[in-house]
Amino acid sequence: MDRISRARGVWLPVAVWAATRAVVLLCVLRVLVLPGPDVTTDVSVIYQGWSGVLKTGTFPLNDVTWQYPPAAALAILSPGLLPFLDYATAFFTLILVTDAATLALLLRAGRRAEHRAAGAWVWIAGVALLGPTAYARYDLMVTAVAVAALFAAVRRPRVAGALIAFGALLKVWPALLLTGAALRGRRARALWRTAAGTAAGLTVLLVAAAPGALAFLTFQRDRGTEVESLGALVFHVARHYGWDGQVLLNYGSLEFLGPGVPFAGTVALTLSLAAVGWLFLWRVRVRELRPGTLCEAAFTATLLFTTTSRVISPQYMLWLVGLGAVCVTVRAARQTLPVVLVLIATGVTLLEFPVGFAQVVASDPWGIALLAVRNGLLVAASLIACRRLWVSTRGDGRGPSGRGRTGRGRTGIAGVVRARRPVAGAPAAPPELTGTAPRPRTEGAPPSP
């Protein structure tokens, strides 16, 4: 019976994954056509054009829509690994393989002690809810790297550090995975040193390989308020009351231009700086880094910066789905409610883009309502995630609900994921990655060294 139960625990999610991904593939291959703009043009036109420029030995210096760190070139050039397919089909195939690998990581982790398979279901549902956009951007590749880094952190800190650095050079945000990492201990030092060394080495290599590797820094700085962002809601409503502004294609996305837009950008930047301040205060006030702290902190930090950003592109939801899936996999993590809110927001995002994007651009009531619901869910998820992260690390043995925790291992070794219980007589895994809490002493037992 146990073997049958295990088989069901693997094959049922795999079957659901296959069914949902078949639908997504039919959408990106234009067999099934959703209302709204064609989301695949980013791949067939923009990515393919960048690929042609990169093959000449330079980054797209004259294209302000190139707003990515230098390692993004590897993702853009990756369809060349399948020369027997056209560019777009090869790209979608590689995304499918990456998607499957991420599911395999989550299923494997879900079978460990103090873990559960729910994280795999979060991933299956989240990617499906985002629809064809999930396969028509390279963000799924970046998210896969982040998920692998979090699962590697406990036993292989050097591997985790290298993956975090590589992810940051793919799309910056994976650097936030270090938010909850410990600063002391052998494993912590290995993680930080490897991350710093890999980032420095890859940056030097990519800068030397082709001119324009760091041009993305200027292009990102000049971006405005994108129509799907939190701050854009003000201008969507203001358009109904005579606001003298317009929506134009600017830096590769549709942005508001007009009176008050620079001020809105300043407010968004201020909110992002406030998020930095809160995260710094949390690190200063942390009393105990617990099982799941690393993934919870990464999820919370990414959620904060996504919500306060001047740009909330639909594919950003993939970042939150992947990190949320890791949090749900780890039983000790307490971010289930924010993850559920993110999943709902992901479904609303599909309705907003591509299905209702014309209404959003026109500031129609339906488009405004979709944005208000999606962004409101992100704000709620951010606040709840912050509270739960704060409470879970205050070191008084209480969970986010205020109830005392019970069960073995809840106040013991802290890490991203809990290692398997050691067999009798074997030493426990080193706890240096994210810190430890004092172990209770057994009556008559000698003190720990």
Side-chain angles (χ1 to χ4, degrees), residues 362-381:
S363 299
D364 286 349
W366 174 244
I368 295 175
L370 287 174
L371 280 182
V373 171
R374 196 277 301 273
N375 294 343
L377 287 167
L378 290 178
V379 170

Side-chain angles (χ1 to χ4, degrees), residues 83-439:
F84 48 87
L85 297 174
D86 66 82
Y87 184 90
T89 304
F91 183 87
F92 301 144
T93 301
L94 291 174
I95 292 291
L96 177 68
V97 172
T98 307
D99 185 3
T102 307
L103 177 67
L105 282 174
L106 290 162
L107 287 173
R108 184 173 181 271
R111 298 176 64 181
R112 298 175 183 169
E114 300 297 329
H115 293 68
R116 53 190 173 185
W121 289 107
V122 169
W123 179 253
I124 292 168
V127 176
L129 286 170
L130 191 59
T133 303
Y135 272 36
R137 307 290 187 272
Y138 83 91
D139 293 76
L140 194 146
M141 295 179 177
V142 185
T143 304
V145 173
V147 170
L150 288 175
F151 283 132
V154 168
R155 298 178 180 178
R156 298 177 178 86
R158 289 184 177 83
V159 173
L163 288 172
I164 291 171
F166 179 61
L169 288 172
L170 279 171
K171 206 162 188 181
V172 179
W173 70 264
L176 296 173
L177 271 61
L178 294 168
T179 302
L183 302 176
R184 298 183 181 88
R186 178 175 57 84
R187 288 181 173 241
R189 289 193 297 271
L191 177 69
W192 284 96
R193 289 174 180 173
T194 305
T198 303
L202 284 177
T203 300
V204 170
L205 179 63
L206 291 166
V207 168
L214 302 180
F216 77 99
L217 296 172
T218 302
F219 297 159
Q220 278 286 355
R221 180 193 63 196
D222 294 334
R223 295 197 71 165
T225 299
E226 194 254 351
V227 295
E228 297 165 279
S229 64
L230 184 62
L233 281 169
V234 175
F235 301 108
H236 281 296
V237 175
R239 292 176 84 181
H240 292 271
Y241 294 93
W243 175 69
D244 185 20
Q246 55 187 331
V247 175
L248 293 176
L249 184 64
N250 193 45
Y251 288 97
S253 63
L254 289 171
E255 299 178 354
F256 279 112
L257 297 176
V261 174
F263 177 74
T266 301
V267 172
L269 179 60
T270 302
L271 290 174
S272 295
L273 292 175
V276 173
W278 184 89
L279 290 167
F280 178 77
L281 179 62
W282 168 74
R283 281 305 307 247
V284 171
R285 298 289 298 273
V286 163
R287 298 179 184 176
E288 182 182 15
L289 294 173
R290 309 180 62 85
T293 295
L294 190 58
C295 61
E296 288 189 272
F299 173 74
T300 303
T302 306
L303 183 56
L304 284 172
F305 284 108
T306 300
T307 304
T308 60
S309 172
R310 292 173 296 173
V311 180
I312 306 181
S313 296
Q315 63 267 23
Y316 292 7
M317 302 305 297
L318 281 175
W319 313 348
L320 305 176
V321 168
L323 299 182
V326 177
C327 289
V328 173
T329 299
V330 183
R331 289 186 183 275
R334 291 293 180 268
Q335 298 292 340
T336 301
L337 179 56
V339 171
V340 170
L341 294 178
V342 164
L343 284 177
I344 298 172
T346 304
V348 177
T349 299
L350 175 63
L351 298 178
E352 172 260 309
F353 183 88
V355 176
F357 196 58
Q359 287 79 12
V360 170
V361 174
S363 299
D364 286 349
W366 174 244
I368 295 175
L370 287 174
L371 280 182
V373 171
R374 196 277 301 273
N375 294 343
L377 287 167
L378 290 178
V379 170
S382 299
L383 295 175
I384 296 171
C386 286
R387 178 184 178 274
R388 293 192 171 199
L389 178 64
W390 185 281
V391 173
S392 71
T393 55
R394 66 187 182 185
D396 62 355
R398 293 181 177 272
S401 63
R403 296 188 295 268
R405 290 178 175 166
T406 60
R408 293 184 59 187
R410 293 295 177 89
T411 59
I413 297 173
V416 184
V417 291
R418 181 177 173 82
R420 297 181 187 272
R421 291 189 179 94
V423 297
E432 292 90 342
L433 176 61
T434 55
T436 59
R439 293 184 180 178

